[in-house]
Each structure stands twice: as structure tokens, then as C-alpha cells.
Amino acid sequence: MSTITREGRRDFLKIVGTTAGGLFIGFNWSSCDSPKVEVLSTEEVLAQVKNFNAYLSIAPSGDVVIYSPNPELGQNIKTSFPMVVAEELDADWSKVRVIQANLDTEKFDRQLTGGSGAMPHSWERLRKAGATAKYVLVAAAAQTWNVPAEEITVESGIISHKESGKSGHFGEFVEVASTMSAPEEVTLKDKKDFKIIGTPVKNVDAKEIYTGKPMYGLDFYREGMKHAMIQRAPFGMKIKSMDDGAARGVSGVTDVVTFGNSVAVVGTSTWPLLKAKKLLRIEYEADGNVESTADHDRIFKDLLENGKADVRRKDGNVDKAFKTAAKVVEAEYQCPFLAHSPMEPENFFAHVQGDRCELIGPTQTPDRARQTAAQILGIPPENITVEITRLGGGFGRRLRADYVEEAVEVSRAINGPVKIVWSREDELTGGAYRPAVRYKFSAALDNAGNMIGYKLKGVGMNAGNTTRENNFPSGAVENVLIESISYDSSITTNAWRAPITNFLAYAEQSFLDEVALAAGKDPVQLRLELYEKAKNNPVGELGYNVNRMIAVTKEVAEKSNWGKNPNVKQGLSVYFSHRSYVAQVADIEMDGGSPTLKRITAVTDCGMVVNPTGANHQVRGGIVDGMGHAMYTNLTFENGVPKQKNYDSYRLIRLKEVPEINTHFLDSGFDPTGLGEPALPPTGGAIANAIFAATGRRLRSQPFIEQKEFSDIKLEIKRT
């Protein structure tokens, strides 16, 4: 059993009160001391929710409600959060529901979605809330029945006393429970006693999604609001002159607004705005670097050879290791820009009214939206409200607030409510992208094929550090040098699902297979040998748990029957990111004379799995996303403008191109860790290494289908 002491209770119980005869419990997400107990009616609760952090409420009917602070974009926290509360509460799951909370930085200390951090951050807080509610309900039942609390049991929302034969549901005790004080310490369940956590549960929003209920930003509508669409300047350019006469003449257009290097057409609906935007006559001129993909290729190569690098890690004597090496392996890997491509393009509602502003829409960082609006308007942030809708995808794109800024600017200009809507072309041409990156790897081997030296130099855009210097194989090699170079680009870049590691994992894991080949070792053998070195004789700081790396590697080798079928060519990739460990093996078989990608086997250690259904979806989604972008997707620029403007030229993976995916989970005994991102990074490396095993062709650039090494390979993809 786990026990939370007085010292660990500061973010524990916020409010105990009644809601029209119901129990209302709030719990603090930001480690504030609990206030005195308050009695609240339902009307008072609805009027005063801004005064609390997050809430667990129990109605007289026995219904349990939790307000979830983190934006939901498909990572399933609106389902997994209440599962955790219900577990400790021993609630009847059919009576549990969750409501999205609006922005309130006084109540929530991490009200954002990013970095796969929602569950790791909230795990213990949610458990404490459920356990606290259970404690006061049991105390209330004990007082009502005049029996010892330790003789009372709770199961599926029913409180029972076996000796007296008395029982009742939660709602029958909420009025008495509201008079109870928070305990000095609360006991959490032993994980072996979990009944809800670890069971497959459907998405709590599933019915609303498949029946088309308005949940997303694009669904939002308010009587009297205007619509707006934006024409943005190419990257590195600014507006020189503009003629909006033809655009203003379109029926349904009510205004044209210019701000910064953007022009907004405003009207009664989006259809006339699409036409009007095309009629804008805008002349641009250079305002800094106007970049093209050909320039980036040249610049990156030059920076790798001659650029001043930031040393991120240096262990041992690297120069000596390479001078005395029996063999040196070198390779360069590169990746292109990528767009985030959420299913729901950017949109946001804003209503500026004097020194106040109302914001509604899909954002991963609601406080950034508020701070951006406050800066534009010159008003206090507390004068701005942010209502968070469900997000139709994000993948890092909605960490930014540029589209919120546009909504605020237009609302202020027209002095009224407006909703900004981006088209798919806007999303691809005016976005913030996964930056292009180029890496150079070097490995020094001794006569026995052991890696005695390792070097990595990365060049990225607007990125600062392009590496993860404490990730494997750092710590497993005596002599290591890791360097990073950042190129300042006029093209806006942004975190893209599993930032940095989304490509670095592919490059590192592919290069490790090159090292294994040069050393005459099996790829699994090479990695296990390096893990043992890091475990028994680590060099410097380890940014990963070696035992967990070993476990997922061995498990994926077993689950995939690694090396046991000579007719199956396999590729391995193992990576740690966002607190979790994922190993993948891709299988290629010859089918009708063509290499065929048949399956991907994945083993994930994300600590305890709260909801197997959601976890399975996250891993599968990450693999499909990682595979599609590694194999097919490319975004190139010419004179500051993306050449790919819609899905006819920006190639995404198709359903028929998804192979069989087998998922497995290891319970390492740790609390839940990240899962929205960690399954993506290993996928490209597993597939590339399998392609090499099958064809002898090494793919060092993405997307694979555009590489000359891949041009005559007819790779089929089939699901069994």
C-alpha cells in the first residue's frame, strides 16, 4: 500500500462541500494548501468553478464527475483521467463522466498537452482525489450506521457493512460526508488490487464523435459572429503593396483587414472568403532571407564541415580513439521539413470588448493563447477567458498561438466577434514545420569489433540543440563527442510529434546497424553488449534506464522470432523518449519476387498501462505516423513558399499501406509514463534496417520513396 503523509498532502484536497445535497471535492494540481471546508449549492458551484483547481463531484444519484484540465487531442486523457479517480474511489464506472475544464492558471499548474506528460503529471493527484472521496464517504457511512469505519467495504459505488447487512450507494452519504474534514493522510490502493485501471475502456467522447455532436473548434458557432480567412506573406517577405478592391466586391465580404504581413478577408461565411482571398492583389518584397530547399542542402553540408558547433557532450579522449581505431564507420543522414497535418485545420474564435477578450477554440497551450492576446491588446491576462474545445489533432502544431493572434487582431479591427478558419492550403503553406535536419555519425571500432568511439554532429533550424546527448549509446561508449549547430531560418519551425527524436531515432538506429555490420555482429547482439557496458560500467550521465532498454529489446526479439526464419528479413529499432521505451521489429518477406513489408512488432514499456484500449491506439497511431512520414512525406520550398500546397502533392500514408501491427506492453512496475509520442521515433529505423536486410540498400534520407537507393525497389505492403 502507498501512503500519502501530511508533507505530501499539499496538493491533495481542495474542497469538500455539498452540491444540492451532493458531495463536491476539488483537488489542487499546483501544491497549494487546502482551504477550509465550504458548503456549496449546485448554483454556487456553477458560478464559482473558477475558484478551484480540478474537481471530483459526487451527486445524490451517485454520479461521479471530474473536470479535466488538459486539452484533449486524441491522446485519450479524458478517458484515462476519470479511470484513475474511479479506481481509487471504487466507483461504478458506468456512473463516471468527465467534463473539459476551461483555462485557469490559478487552479492548474500544467494545463497543456505536449511532451506526453499529462498522465505522468496527474497520476498521483488523481489517485489522491479518488482516495480522499472514498475516505470521507466511508467515514460518513460509519457515522450514519454507528459502526467502525474499518469494517466497511466499498465496491462499484456501493458502501457496505457486512455484519449489520447495511449498504447504500455513494449518493446516500454525500450530505454527511460534506461535514467531514480531510484526513491527515490517505492510503492509496496496492496496484495488484486495481479493477478499473488496466482494463480496456472505450473513449468517453466516442458517441459524441461518431454521432457528429459539436465538440471541435470548427463546430463552434455564435449568433452574430463574422468569419475570416487570412492571406499570409511568403517566408522571408513582407507586403509592398496591396489592392483589395476586387475582394471587397464579393457578395458576403464585409471587410478587409491588414495587420503585420497578413491580410484578412472578413465576411458572413467561409465560402465567399475563399473566393475573395484569391482576388487579393498583393505585391511582396524581401524582408530577410528568402529560402529554397536547394539552399538548405548546400548550407547544411557546409555547416557540418565548417560550422562552429556547440559541444553538448564529451567523454574520454575521442581523438585518440579514432586515431587508434581498427575501423572507422561514417555516415550522414538527413530529413526534410514536415507539416503537422492535423485533420482539423487551425481555427479560433475571438471577441475583443474593450479591455476584455473571450477566446474559444482548439489549443494545446491555452495559457500561451491568453498571454499572446494580452500582449497584443495591452490588457491584463486575467481579463481574458479561454474555453478549450476538443482538438482534431495537434501533433505540436497547436502549441503555437499564431492563429489565436490572428483571431484577436481581426476581432479588434472589426470591433466584433470573429472566427478565423484556415484552409488545408493555409495549413500547409502558412504553418510552422518540423525543421529539416542533417546528421553526421562516426564510430571507431577496435580489432574485436567493439565500439570505442562515437561522434555525432547535427545541424538543424531554429532548434538550438538538435541532439539528445544523454540518450543511448551515450554512457555505453568510453569516448563520445556530440555537437549541435543551429541555423537561423526565416521559415517558422515548431515542435513536431516527438520533437528531435522523430528523426534522430531513425538516424541513430540505422547507423547502429551500419556499425553492427562493420563489426560483424547481429544488431540485437550489438545493442545488448552496449547496454551491458552502460549497466556495469557507465560513462558519464545516463539519460535512460538500462534495464528497461534491455527488457524491451529482448522482448521484441522474442515476440518477433528474431533471426529464426531465413525467409524473413528483419530490422530492429529501440528508442527511449518521453519517459517511455519502445522496441520495434519490421518483417520483410519476398512475395512474387518483390520484398513485402508484412508486419511490425512493437514492445512498449510505458510503466503501468491505465487503459489498454487507448494505449494500443496510441502505439498503433504512432507507428502509422512514423512509417508514413519516413516513407512518403516531403515538404520543399522555393522562394519562401512551400511547393506542396495540398494532399494531391503532399503525400501521406494510405490505409492500404499500413502493414499488420502487433503490439505488446511490458509492465516494469513504474507509474505511467508518456505514450502519445514514444512509438513514433523507432519506426523509421526498423523499416529502413529491414529494407537493408532484404535488399542491401541503405536509406540515409527521408522520405524513402524519393531516394535513388529505393527507386528500383518494388516494396509491397500487405496485411495478413
Side-chain angles (χ1 to χ4, degrees):
M1 305 286 278
S2 301
T3 299
I4 306 301
T5 62
R6 176 188 291 271
E7 290 73 21
R9 293 178 62 254
R10 295 195 304 168
D11 60 356
F12 168 71
L13 179 68
K14 186 71 176 174
I15 301 286
V16 178
T18 57
T19 69
L23 175 65
F24 189 93
I25 294 180
F27 54 101
N28 186 356
W29 298 65
S30 54
S31 300
C32 295
D33 290 330
S34 301
K36 294 180 180 179
V37 172
E38 298 180 27
V39 178
L40 305 170
S41 70
T42 300
E43 292 74 21
E44 288 173 328
V45 170
L46 294 174
Q48 298 178 31
V49 291
K50 62 183 181 296
N51 297 325
F52 309 105
N53 284 331
Y55 309 99
L56 165 64
S57 63
I58 303 174
S61 63
D63 291 317
V64 179
V65 179
I66 182 173
Y67 282 75
S68 179
N70 295 63
E72 171 63 66
L73 52 81
Q75 76 279 36
N76 213 40
I77 55 171
K78 280 187 73 177
T79 303
S80 55
F81 273 20
M83 286 178 67
V84 177
V85 177
E87 181 65 71
E88 290 291 347
L89 186 60
D90 277 313
D92 177 356
W93 175 250
S94 67
K95 289 184 172 292
V96 176
R97 59 191 177 92
V98 64
I99 297 175
Q100 177 70 57
N102 294 333
L103 174 68
D104 195 322
T105 52
E106 292 184 5
K107 298 174 184 176
F108 309 115
D109 65 328
R110 190 189 183 277
Q111 198 173 6
L112 60 89
T113 294
S116 298
M119 182 55 73
H121 171 267
S122 305
W123 169 250
E124 191 171 272
R125 292 169 170 82
L126 293 164
R127 294 185 69 191
K128 292 175 186 176
T132 303
K134 178 180 174 181
Y135 180 97
V136 294
L137 286 165
V138 168
Q143 179 176 302
T144 301
W145 295 333
N146 194 25
V147 299
E150 56 270 20
E151 294 180 3
I152 290 177
T153 59
V154 182
E155 185 173 359
S156 296
I158 302 298
I159 303 174
S160 304
H161 183 248
K162 186 177 180 180
E163 260 190 53
S164 65
K166 295 179 179 179
S167 67
H169 64 69
F170 286 163
E172 296 176 43
F173 303 98
V174 291
E175 187 169 353
V176 175
S178 68
T179 66
M180 302 290 174
S181 299
E184 291 301 318
E185 58 182 38
V186 62
T187 300
L188 302 181
K189 277 187 177 181
D190 192 304
K191 294 178 182 179
K192 67 179 176 56
D193 296 324
F194 284 169
K195 297 176 182 177
I196 296 175
I197 292 175
T199 63
V201 175
K202 293 180 181 179
N203 187 325
V204 295
D205 283 340
K207 184 176 180 180
E208 285 74 15
I209 292 170
Y210 69 69
T211 56
K213 295 290 174 60
M215 301 177 63
Y216 299 91
L218 282 177
D219 296 325
F220 178 78
Y221 175 80
R222 177 172 293 171
E223 190 69 32
M225 78 177 187
K226 292 293 193 296
H227 297 262
M229 302 190 81
I230 313 291
Q231 179 62 52
R232 301 162 190 85
F235 296 103
M237 293 188 180
K238 63 181 180 180
I239 296 174
K240 182 178 180 181
S241 64
M242 194 266 290
D243 179 359
D244 61 9
R248 287 181 180 273
V250 175
S251 177
V253 171
T254 59
D255 209 343
V256 177
V257 175
T258 301
F259 57 94
N261 283 314
S262 297
V263 180
V265 287
V266 185
T268 55
S269 66
T270 56
W271 183 247
L273 302 184
L274 287 167
K275 179 180 179 181
K277 197 170 76 156
K278 293 178 181 179
L279 295 176
L280 292 170
R281 298 291 176 257
I282 306 174
E283 184 181 357
Y284 298 102
E285 61 184 354
D287 184 30
N289 291 332
V290 181
E291 303 173 28
S292 299
T293 296
D295 300 327
H296 299 148
D297 293 342
R298 173 182 49 80
I299 291 169
F300 278 25
K301 287 179 182 178
D302 181 64
L303 286 173
L304 271 181
E305 294 301 321
N306 307 306
K308 179 175 174 54
D310 177 21
V311 176
R312 306 297 304 182
R313 180 170 181 143
K314 189 172 184 180
D315 296 331
N317 190 330
V318 178
D319 291 339
K320 181 179 179 181
F322 276 84
K323 286 179 181 178
T324 60
K327 185 180 291 186
V328 172
V329 184
E330 292 185 328
E332 291 188 16
Y333 285 77
Q334 63 180 355
C335 72
F337 287 97
L338 292 178
H340 296 77
S341 302
M343 183 174 291
E344 177 193 27
E346 282 67 58
N347 64 90
F348 225 81
F349 170 87
H351 190 187
V352 177
Q353 301 176 81
D355 65 348
R356 299 197 170 272
C357 178
E358 179 186 15
L359 300 175
I360 301 173
T363 172
Q364 293 180 240
T365 51
D367 190 45
R368 177 176 290 181
R370 184 174 73 167
Q371 296 297 335
T372 296
Q375 185 175 8
I376 292 170
L377 300 173
I379 63 177
E382 55 267 27
N383 287 11
I384 299 171
T385 62
V386 183
E387 181 179 331
I388 308 164
T389 64
R390 189 179 176 97
L391 287 65
F395 315 111
R397 178 61 182 89
R398 289 186 162 104
L399 292 170
R400 292 175 63 89
D402 51 331
Y403 55 101
V404 180
E405 177 182 346
E406 292 174 345
V408 172
E409 290 278 14
V410 176
S411 178
R412 177 172 63 173
I414 68 171
N415 193 30
V418 67
K419 184 165 82 169
I420 294 287
V421 176
W422 290 38
S423 67
R424 181 60 62 193
E425 288 83 356
D426 291 333
E427 197 273 326
L428 282 171
T429 61
Y433 310 99
R434 193 277 298 271
V437 181
R438 192 178 185 98
Y439 291 109
K440 182 176 182 179
F441 295 89
S442 304
L445 306 180
D446 63 16
N447 287 319
N450 299 310
M451 186 160 36
I452 58 173
Y454 176 75
K455 292 193 291 187
L456 164 61
K457 181 185 286 188
V459 177
M461 290 183 163
N462 311 325
N465 180 21
T466 61
T467 71
R468 291 290 184 265
E469 63 272 10
N470 295 325
N471 276 12
F472 181 80
S474 292
V477 183
E478 294 90 339
N479 308 289
V480 170
L481 176 63
I482 297 181
E483 301 172 290
S484 180
I485 300 173
S486 181
Y487 165 71
D488 292 331
S489 173
S490 62
I491 298 171
T492 56
T493 57
N494 194 47
W496 188 93
R497 191 174 186 179
I500 306 297
T501 60
N502 55 61
F503 178 76
L504 179 59
Y506 150 74
E508 287 179 342
Q509 291 296 302
S510 296
F511 181 68
L512 281 177
D513 265 36
E514 295 200 50
V515 173
L517 181 66
K521 296 180 179 180
D522 174 83
V524 173
Q525 174 196 357
L526 174 80
R527 288 166 175 80
L528 290 175
E529 288 178 359
L530 289 170
Y531 297 154
E532 289 300 325
K533 287 184 179 180
K535 180 179 180 179
N536 299 320
N537 190 24
V539 179
E541 181 180 351
L542 294 182
Y544 52 95
N545 183 306
V546 183
N547 289 330
R548 297 175 78 177
M549 292 283 278
I550 292 171
V552 293
T553 303
K554 288 184 175 180
E555 186 73 4
V556 83
E558 179 183 337
K559 295 297 185 184
S560 66
N561 295 313
W562 177 266
K564 294 181 179 179
N565 187 341
N567 297 319
V568 178
K569 305 304 179 183
Q570 297 179 299
L572 171 70
S573 182
V574 187
Y575 215 71
F576 161 71
S577 68
H578 297 87
R579 308 177 185 89
S580 294
Y581 300 77
V582 183
Q584 296 177 19
V585 169
D587 289 356
I588 290 180
E589 301 176 22
M590 298 304 293
D591 189 344
S594 298
T596 302
L597 178 60
K598 287 290 186 73
R599 70 191 60 83
I600 295 175
T601 302
V603 172
T604 301
D605 175 2
C606 58
M608 170 162 282
V609 175
V610 175
N611 183 358
T613 298
N616 183 42
H617 291 166
Q618 287 299 305
V619 172
R620 289 175 180 274
I623 290 173
V624 172
D625 203 8
M627 174 182 172
H629 286 91
M631 291 195 65
Y632 306 114
T633 313
N634 191 6
L635 188 71
T636 59
F637 287 81
E638 188 170 345
N639 297 323
V641 178
K643 295 174 70 174
Q644 297 77 20
K645 295 179 171 57
N646 210 320
Y647 290 152
D648 58 337
S649 54
Y650 187 72
R651 172 80 155 84
L652 294 178
I653 193 170
R654 296 158 185 161
L655 183 61
K656 67 180 182 179
E657 294 166 338
V658 178
E660 174 186 342
I661 298 174
N662 298 321
T663 61
H664 307 273
F665 293 86
L666 282 181
D667 185 356
S668 55
F670 287 83
D671 288 346
T673 51
L675 198 51
E677 294 162 289
L680 185 149
T683 305
I687 294 172
N689 289 335
I691 290 173
F692 177 82
T695 68
R697 308 288 184 86
R698 185 71 68 184
L699 301 171
R700 298 191 179 96
S701 295
Q702 293 182 1
F704 298 161
I705 61 170
E706 294 186 11
Q707 307 313 310
K708 63 181 181 179
E709 293 85 358
F710 193 78
S711 59
D712 61 346
I713 298 176
K714 293 183 172 23
L715 181 67
E716 304 287 341
I717 300 172
K718 291 186 179 180
R719 283 177 286 180
T720 57

